[in-house]
Amino acid sequence: MSALAQPRVRFGGSVLLALALAVVLTPWIAQALGAHADTVDLYHRFAAPSLRHPLGTDELGRDLLLRLLAGGQVSLLVGITAALAAAVLGTAIGLVAGYFGGRLDALLMRLTDGVIALPLLPLLVVLAAADLHKLGVPAALRDSEAMSLYRIIVLVTLVGWTTVARLVRGTTLSLRQQDFVRAAEALGASHRRIMLVHILPNLATPIIVATSLAVGEIILLESVLSFLGLGVAPPLASWGNMLTGAEETIALAPMLAVYPGALIFLTVMACNLLGDGLQQALDPRRRR
Amino acid sequence: MSRFVVRRIVEILVVLAVMSLVIYALIGLMPGDPVDLMIASNPHLTVADAARLKALYGLDKPLLERYAAWLGAALHGDFGYSRLYARSTLAVLIPRLGNTALLMGMSFALTLALAWPLGLLAARRPGSWFDGVANLSSFATISVPSFWLALMLILVFAVQLGWLPPGGAATIGAGGVADRADHLVLPVITLTLVNFGPQLRYMRAAMMETLHQDYIRTARAKGAGEARILTRHALRNALIPLITVVALSFGSLFSGALVTETMFAYPGMGKLIYDAVLGNDYNLALAGLLFATLMTLLANFAADLAYAAADPRIAYR
């Protein structure tokens, strides 16, 4: 449990736990306030904080605290799901590249560098605007409210795997030279068995570290795409798309623009500190 | 050296060709096509007219054939007509390229001028209070959503204090360098802060690595001064891994520019691509993305040349 001795791990972990707890408790908070995140009240637009609305209301008179909690649910869900998907994809690519080496490794690593080096956001903007009909997505799914969630998860997974792939490849390269891998080879184990049974369990550390760093990156990407109107679509709230409306009323109600961004900032900071702290705690070579 | 340059130029052209096909296919996935837009704006068009128009513009042909036709025209400098701006695509694009190069160039220079010295000093005494502050500030700038940072800067400096303009590249009617500079302050600050964190961490990591090497101890034993050790011995060697990661960061610099330009309504390439995609301006989006890719590839190429200059052991052949 040496990881918990790291102040960064403790800080990042507690912030994320607190946020998760708040999101889980949302239904009870909503009940206590006697409102719902989607309850529109046009007589009380831009209301100041009060007992009924602890953080005030937005441009449609919806309770800001409840909107923030609902948005947090979506942002965290998208962030964690996409980070896990990116971790699986990145692990597969990094493991294959590091294990087989040679030309395949060179090809996969050039692909990884290519994805990192490209101007990703402009390309993602085009992908996010893609017509789902032309991609052959079934109509029932296309028109469902959750479609924007699936789309954004797929989009950020497509670009979020590189960190994991590079770390996994590096570790696999060094593991490949170790005696226990040679012994397994000598015993006639198949490539698949060596990769999955002997190497993969030893990759836990880099995968955990890279994934917690990737969650932060992915939440940032989700928020910017949602803000640009290409990610999570209203009426579903996300911290990113809450800022779209807030931008227009910024002179009138600045706090509407402050809170969602501050929450994104806090969450991503917590993920990054957690990832960095874990890296230092779990990787003996990095210890000072 | 010249053979290396030729090889890299060929590589850039190959990557550009592949990316142009990928981007062409991506643009094809955007909703509708130009004829659909004509139909939407003209209710008198019949189905036969639409089919004739599609044949006229070659939209009934398969993807590869359309791509070949587009490529042929593009190689002759013809990127088509911009629907949104009602001018030739290149005439819209070229002034924007200059604006973006100005924003990105100023911000990149400022980022390195701030982040590299701080990263270097932080690496000297890992764990000191200075290192702690440097680390925390780099984490903060890595974690801040760029569009929100821009929004907060607009809120404080444009809305509340009224010191700086909230957007645009120049005041209409009032030209001049000072006016342009006023409009650049907030976008440059935003883009600089967003890239500050990663660059500080790259420099710190590279310096930590080299400061542990034997040749640093040798230099100390010889009695070389601290400043000389840091700049001549450690920094010179740290630059080599550093250039590689810096080269890879140009793409994200461009991504940051897209957000910054959109937030400040700054007429650059990033905002142009975003507007083109939202406005279904296929030719413009295509050419914009292609030029953005080309800019990134050229920046990488420049980094390669810098690499050769930084490391005399590397003889490119």
Side-chain angles (χ1 to χ4, degrees):
Chain A
M1 290 318 273
S2 68
L4 282 180
Q6 273 278 339
R8 284 179 186 175
V9 174
R10 281 208 301 267
F11 173 80
S14 350
V15 168
L16 291 178
L17 270 180
L19 281 168
L21 195 68
V23 164
V24 169
L25 290 177
T26 307
W28 287 276
I29 299 173
Q31 210 170 31
L33 293 171
H36 189 263
D38 300 325
T39 313
V40 173
D41 180 1
L42 291 176
Y43 290 110
H44 295 96
R45 300 169 66 214
F46 303 117
S50 63
L51 268 183
R52 232 186 109 211
H53 301 293
L55 294 178
T57 61
D58 70 358
E59 73 274 11
L60 293 176
R62 294 172 295 197
D63 185 84
L64 186 56
L65 177 66
L66 291 176
R67 292 285 293 167
L68 286 171
L69 289 171
Q73 198 174 356
V74 171
S75 293
L76 292 178
L77 183 79
V78 169
I80 291 166
T81 317
L84 289 179
V88 172
L89 186 62
T91 305
I93 291 174
L95 188 56
V96 167
Y99 182 80
F100 289 109
R103 282 214 173 150
L104 186 61
D105 179 36
L107 183 76
L108 287 174
M109 281 305 109
R110 289 215 83 169
L111 179 73
T112 313
D113 281 351
V115 170
I116 297 172
L118 281 177
L120 284 179
L121 196 59
L123 290 170
L124 279 182
V125 164
V126 178
L127 260 182
D131 189 350
L132 295 169
H133 183 70
K134 288 186 183 174
L135 277 173
V137 178
L141 186 63
R142 211 161 62 219
D143 300 331
S144 74
E145 200 177 61
M147 189 57 227
S148 71
L149 285 185
Y150 300 137
R151 193 180 56 191
I152 187 92
I153 289 173
V154 170
L155 282 183
V156 294
T157 304
L158 280 179
V159 299
W161 55 270
T162 52
T163 323
V164 183
R166 295 182 114 199
L167 241 79
V168 164
R169 175 196 172 253
T171 317
T172 307
L173 274 180
S174 64
L175 284 173
R176 187 144 181 31
Q177 304 302 323
Q178 305 236 330
D179 288 339
F180 67 89
V181 174
R182 298 229 174 126
E185 264 172 355
L187 286 171
S190 67
H191 289 313
R192 216 183 80 176
R193 189 178 159 81
I194 296 177
M195 280 197 277
L196 295 180
V197 177
H198 297 279
I199 297 184
L200 189 61
N202 289 298
L203 292 171
T205 306
I207 294 175
I208 292 172
V209 167
T211 307
S212 60
L213 291 172
V215 177
E217 213 177 299
I218 281 171
I219 289 179
L220 278 183
L221 208 51
E222 179 271 313
S223 71
V224 72
L225 283 172
S226 296
F227 173 77
L228 292 172
L230 298 163
V232 178
L236 224 55
S238 89
W239 289 335
N241 75 23
M242 286 175 72
L243 282 162
T244 316
E247 189 194 10
E248 286 155 27
T249 56
I250 192 160
L252 196 64
M255 291 320 276
L256 285 183
V258 173
Y259 288 128
L263 280 173
I264 301 171
F265 180 41
L266 189 68
T267 312
V268 176
M269 183 97 173
C271 291
N272 283 334
L273 288 175
L274 181 69
D276 190 68
L278 282 178
Q279 188 161 34
Q280 280 182 15
L282 297 176
D283 189 350
R285 279 168 307 168
R286 289 246 178 169
R287 215 169 274 161
R288 296 194 288 261
Chain B
M1 186 71 191
S2 64
R3 271 185 67 188
F4 163 76
V5 172
V6 171
R7 209 189 70 210
R8 278 295 276 134
I9 290 175
V10 171
E11 252 177 51
I12 288 176
L13 291 177
V14 170
V15 175
L16 202 61
V18 173
M19 282 308 293
S20 72
L21 179 58
V22 171
I23 294 170
Y24 192 87
L26 276 181
I27 296 287
L29 289 175
M30 276 165 57
D33 63 40
V35 174
D36 288 341
L37 291 168
M38 290 181 203
I39 298 170
S41 59
N42 184 356
H44 298 299
L45 275 181
T46 62
V47 177
D49 289 337
R52 204 161 41 79
L53 277 171
K54 288 209 183 200
L56 178 66
Y57 289 106
L59 288 167
D60 52 348
K61 300 217 173 67
L63 177 73
L64 277 177
E65 208 170 308
R66 275 184 288 143
Y67 169 72
W70 171 83
L71 188 66
L75 287 178
H76 288 94
D78 177 11
F79 286 87
Y81 197 69
S82 158
R83 205 176 73 79
L84 280 181
Y85 295 86
R87 273 192 295 159
S88 96
T89 298
L90 278 187
V92 179
L93 210 65
I94 285 168
R96 300 291 193 111
L97 266 177
N99 284 346
T100 290
L102 184 67
L103 171 66
M104 283 179 37
M106 284 178 69
S107 157
F108 191 64
L110 194 59
T111 307
L112 296 193
L114 283 174
W116 280 13
L118 289 177
L120 191 146
L121 292 176
R124 266 184 75 200
R125 303 208 195 299
S128 66
W129 67 266
F130 182 83
D131 186 38
V133 172
N135 261 320
L136 202 65
S137 67
S138 77
F139 269 117
T141 56
I142 288 171
S143 309
V144 74
S146 47
F147 63 101
W148 182 68
L149 180 66
L151 209 54
M152 290 300 107
L153 288 173
I154 292 174
L155 177 64
V156 174
F157 293 102
V159 177
Q160 289 178 344
L161 296 173
W163 290 353
L164 291 161
T171 312
I172 295 168
V177 177
D179 182 57
R180 288 233 40 190
D182 272 354
H183 285 82
L184 269 170
V185 174
L186 289 183
V188 167
I189 290 179
T190 308
L191 199 52
T192 301
L193 282 179
V194 170
N195 290 304
F196 167 83
Q199 295 296 344
L200 191 153
R201 287 177 65 80
Y202 295 152
M203 174 53 103
R204 182 177 174 273
M207 283 297 282
M208 295 261 285
E209 200 72 33
T210 46
L211 281 173
H212 281 121
Q213 301 293 326
D214 288 340
Y215 53 75
I216 299 295
R217 198 176 311 136
T218 309
R220 282 228 165 83
K222 276 195 319 189
E226 190 64 21
R228 192 183 163 80
I229 291 174
L230 277 180
T231 54
R232 283 301 172 87
H233 297 267
L235 181 64
R236 197 76 171 77
N237 283 290
L239 274 181
I240 293 159
L242 207 57
I243 289 171
T244 315
V245 285
V246 169
L248 287 177
S249 67
F250 286 121
S252 70
L253 182 66
F254 199 93
S255 295
L258 185 144
V259 177
T260 310
E261 289 171 5
T262 307
M263 293 307 296
F264 291 101
Y266 181 85
M269 289 281 292
K271 182 169 162 41
L272 188 75
I273 293 172
Y274 176 66
D275 289 344
V277 170
L278 289 198
N280 282 332
D281 193 337
Y282 309 98
N283 283 337
L284 192 58
L286 188 54
L289 280 171
L290 211 57
F291 274 84
T293 311
L294 178 65
M295 275 171 87
T296 314
L297 290 173
L298 288 179
N300 267 303
F301 180 52
D304 269 345
L305 297 181
Y307 199 85
D311 189 352
R313 288 170 304 182
I314 293 178
Y316 286 119
R317 260 169 289 136

